[in-house]
Amino acid sequence: MSSSGSDPRLPSAAKPFNKAPHDPPPELPVDYSGFFAVLCAVVGVMFRYKLGSWMALIFCAQSLVNMKNIETDLKQISMAMMFAIMGLMTNYMGPRPSSKT
């Protein structure tokens, strides 16, 4: 690298970078009610179980009340709530299977 006379940088004034030590964020406890809400909601939608969708709504409410981290928990709860509502809509308003005898 060629040095020019108009370079304002001083190599002798440069200081090495020292990273400041910090503690990692504490691990949050697992939200089991949110996990069960998603699980029940998916079961309610996929297998058309009304009980699964209703249980998903109950677990969503429980998870919403016991929310620890607003960013991640709200995403999980909203997804479970949408699946639960979709499951209830398809179960109660969807087409009925025809029984041909």
Side-chain angles (χ1 to χ4, degrees), residues 59-78:
F59 281 124
C60 282
Q62 181 181 358
S63 182
L64 191 62
V65 169
N66 297 326
M67 193 180 321
K68 299 279 191 272
N69 188 1
I70 189 89
E71 291 89 16
T72 58
D73 289 346
L74 196 58
K75 290 177 191 174
Q76 185 177 4
I77 293 169
S78 63

Side-chain angles (χ1 to χ4, degrees), residues 25-77:
E27 289 292 322
L28 294 173
V30 178
D31 184 20
Y32 288 111
S33 58
F35 174 71
F36 288 134
V38 172
L39 189 67
C40 289
V42 169
V43 166
V45 170
M46 296 294 288
F47 300 120
R48 297 182 59 105
Y49 289 152
K50 293 177 186 175
L51 182 64
S53 297
W54 284 112
M55 291 298 292
L57 282 177
I58 291 169
F59 281 124
C60 282
Q62 181 181 358
S63 182
L64 191 62
V65 169
N66 297 326
M67 193 180 321
K68 299 279 191 272
N69 188 1
I70 189 89
E71 291 89 16
T72 58
D73 289 346
L74 196 58
K75 290 177 191 174
Q76 185 177 4
I77 293 169

